Amino acid sequence: MNQTERVLILGAGINGVAIARELLLNGIPVCMIDQGDLSQGATSKSSRLVHGGLRYLEYGDFSLVKESVHERGILLDLAPHFVKPLRFAIPLAHRATGVMSSGLRFLSGFRVPGAHWLNNQFSFSSERGMYLVDMGLSMYDWFASKGNLPRHSVHNVGEPGLPDINQEKFRWLACYSDAQMRFPERFVVALLHDCQKIARQKGLEFELFTYHQLSLKNRNAQLTSLQNHNLNHELFAPKVIINASGACGDLTLQQVDVASPRLMGGTKGSHIITFNQSLRDALGEQAIYSEASDGRLVFILPFGDCTLIGTTDVRVEGNPLDVTASPEELEYLVGMVNMVFPQVKLTNDDINLHYSGVRPLPYQPEGKAASISRDHSIKEHEGPSGWIVTLVGGKLTSWRAFAENVTGRILKKLGKSYHSESKTRLIPGAEHYPQTADILKAEQDRLAEKYQLSQASIQALWTLQGTMIEEILDTLPDFSKDLLPGTNIPRQYVLWTINHEWVETIGDLVERRLMLIFDETLQAATLQALAECLVETGKLEAAQIPATLEIYQAHLTKFYGKRVR
C-alpha cells in the first residue's frame, strides 16, 4: 500500500464509516479509529428515522428536504432489511391556525416553534392548523414525487385503521409517508462489512481500531489502545485526517492540539421506550408526529412490540458522551403521550428504558435550540498537524450524500477524480431480498428447517443480518442450536459476532451488535453468558467477570434506566 495516500478517519459512527466506504470505492486506503465503540454517539441515540425533514419546509430549508427525500428513496431500495416505510399521522385540532407564525418563520428565517423576536418586541405562538399542514404535505409530496411511497391524505379522527387518538382535542389526522431504520447500529456494521469486501476486491488496506486514541507527532499519527496501553501501532503520515467524531469534534481537535474556533453546538435529544400494551394497541402500525405544548414536534413510533417516543431539544455543555435523560425530559415525553392518548394513562413506571444523545450541530451561541440548522458542512484546518477536515452536522438520513460531498472534496484536492457507486450498491444483507411478505416467510421457513431453529430465532437473526445470515451460519463448524439464555439467538452466532464484528466489551454486544438492550426483559443470566463468550474469545479474563457485570449493570442504570432481572 502507498502509505502517502492513506486517509485517517477519527470516529466510527455512520458518517465516518460512510466516508470510509466512499474512499475505498474510489481506491483510497483507509485507517479508522474510535475512542469508544462503533456508533456509540448520535448514531445509536437518534430517533431511528429515515425522513425528509418535514418541519424544515417551514424554515425554507428546501435543499435539505430535497436531499433527504432523495436519500430516503435510495435507502429503501438498497437496504430493505434495515429501512422500512412508515406511515405518519399528524393530529390536528383547528383548520386555519398557525399560518401567520409559520409564515413569519419562513420569511424571517426564524427556526423556533411559534414566532417571536428575541427582544420580546413581538411574540405569539399558535398551533399548526389543517390548512397549513395540508399545504406543507402537498409540498412534501412534490419533493418526493419520484418515490414510490403513498402521498399524503387527511382523515377525520376515529376513522378505522388510524391511531386511536384523543377525540376531545383533535378533529383530523393528516397522514404522510416516511421511513424507519430500527437499528442504525446494525446498519453501520453492515457498511463496515462492505468496507472489508471492497478493500479485498480492490487490494486496498482497510483497518479499524475501536477503543484507541490518536496522538500526532510532526504530522505522524500514532494509535494507542485504551484497553492495553502497551499496545501501540506504527507511526504513519496520513494524507488527510477526517474528524468524524460528531458532537465530540471540538474535543477531538483539542486532543490533537489543533487550534480552532468552537465548531460544535450540539443539543441533547432524549427518548423513552415503553412496552405499555394499551399504547401499542392505540398506535397500531402508524406513527404519530404531534405538536407539544411548547410547539415542538414529537414522534410516537411503533418499534417492534414496543413504542419509541422522542425527542427533546436541549442545549448542553461538556462531554457529549456523558449526557443522560433528565427527569424533566422524561416527564415531558410521558405528558406528550398522554395528551395524544389520554386513555393510556402512561406513567414514568411504564418506561422500560431511556436514552439520550447529542446532535453534532454547528455552534450557534444565541437563540433557541430549535433555531440551529440541521444541515451538514465541513471545516478545514491546515497547519503543523497537516490537513484536517472536520464534519459538522449530518443526519441519519443523509449519511450517503454527506459522504459523497466529503469524498469529492478530498479527492479533488488530491488531484483525483471522483466516481460514485454508492447510489446503486446494495448494503450487505440486501442481496436477493424477498420482494413480498409471503416470499419472506417462505425463506425464513426454509432457514428454520435447514438449521433446526425456531421461527423466532430466524427472525431475530434476520433482523440483525438480512440475507447474510445463511452465509454466516454456514461458516459455523458443527452448528449447534443452543441459545443464549433469555434470548432467541444461537450462542455460536454470538461467538461469531465477537470474532467478526469488532466487539471488545459486553456493552458492545448488548447495545450495538445483538440489540438486546431493546428486549423487554434483560436477564442477569444473559449478561453472565455474554461475559463467558467474551472469555472464550479472549476478550475478557474469567476472574474479571463479577466486576465487569457489576460495572455494566451500573452503566445500564445510569444511561438507560434499564433494570436487569
Side-chain angles (χ1 to χ4, degrees), residues 88-144:
F88 287 75
I90 303 175
L92 301 169
H94 307 285
R95 290 184 185 275
T97 57
V99 174
M100 181 66 74
S101 59
S102 180
L104 283 171
R105 281 194 293 274
F106 178 80
L107 293 173
S108 67
F110 283 141
R111 297 184 53 86
V112 295
H116 53 83
W117 302 109
L118 294 177
N119 60 9
N120 291 321
Q121 291 178 341
F122 174 83
S123 175
F124 71 78
S125 179
S126 180
E127 292 182 17
R128 298 160 178 86
M130 185 182 70
Y131 295 150
L132 175 67
V133 171
D134 187 48
M135 180 174 62
L137 289 175
S138 296
M139 188 179 298
Y140 200 59
D141 286 339
W142 181 81
F143 276 106

Side-chain angles (χ1 to χ4, degrees), residues 279-474:
L279 175 59
R280 191 66 187 79
D281 291 341
L283 186 61
E285 295 307 314
Q286 295 191 41
I288 289 290
Y289 191 25
S290 188
E291 187 172 352
S293 58
D294 61 357
R296 176 164 179 76
L297 291 159
V298 176
F299 295 109
I300 306 173
L301 306 165
F303 194 73
D305 54 355
C306 59
T307 306
L308 171 63
I309 301 108
T311 178
T312 57
D313 201 2
V314 181
R315 288 184 179 271
V316 291
E317 298 292 336
N319 189 332
L321 298 181
D322 289 339
V323 300
T324 58
S326 68
E328 293 78 13
E329 288 176 293
L330 301 184
E331 290 286 350
Y332 174 86
L333 295 173
V334 168
M336 176 67 195
V337 172
N338 287 328
M339 182 191 71
V340 180
F341 297 103
Q343 73 275 23
V344 170
K345 298 180 173 62
L346 197 72
T347 71
N348 281 25
D349 290 339
D350 292 310
I351 299 174
N352 181 273
L353 69 92
H354 55 71
Y355 64 86
S356 189
V358 178
R359 304 170 181 91
L361 305 180
Y363 177 55
Q364 180 179 301
E366 296 181 352
K368 289 192 175 183
S371 69
I372 305 172
S373 172
R374 267 52 175 175
D375 209 346
H376 50 74
S377 62
I378 63 174
K379 302 295 182 182
E380 300 183 47
H381 301 86
E382 292 193 68
S385 300
W387 181 27
I388 299 178
V389 175
T390 297
L391 311 188
V392 180
K395 305 195 302 112
L396 185 62
T397 304
S398 56
W399 62 271
R400 196 203 62 83
F402 197 5
E404 272 193 339
N405 293 341
V406 175
T407 305
R409 166 63 182 151
I410 289 170
L411 291 177
K412 181 178 180 181
K413 190 159 181 176
L414 294 178
K416 298 178 180 293
S417 59
Y418 168 74
H419 69 279
S420 174
E421 298 178 24
S422 59
K423 286 182 181 178
T424 56
R425 186 180 178 91
L426 291 174
I427 305 302
E431 300 86 351
H432 311 295
Y433 197 82
Q435 295 298 305
T436 67
D438 288 341
I439 298 174
L440 174 60
K441 184 180 185 306
E443 176 64 6
Q444 292 181 348
D445 286 343
R446 181 186 71 81
L447 293 173
E449 175 67 24
K450 178 177 178 178
Y451 300 108
Q452 291 298 290
L453 291 170
S454 68
Q455 272 286 340
S457 287
I458 291 298
Q459 288 170 4
L461 294 174
W462 189 275
T463 298
L464 300 176
Q465 297 285 359
T467 59
M468 277 184 62
I469 194 57
E470 184 168 21
E471 177 185 339
I472 292 169
L473 294 182
D474 281 347

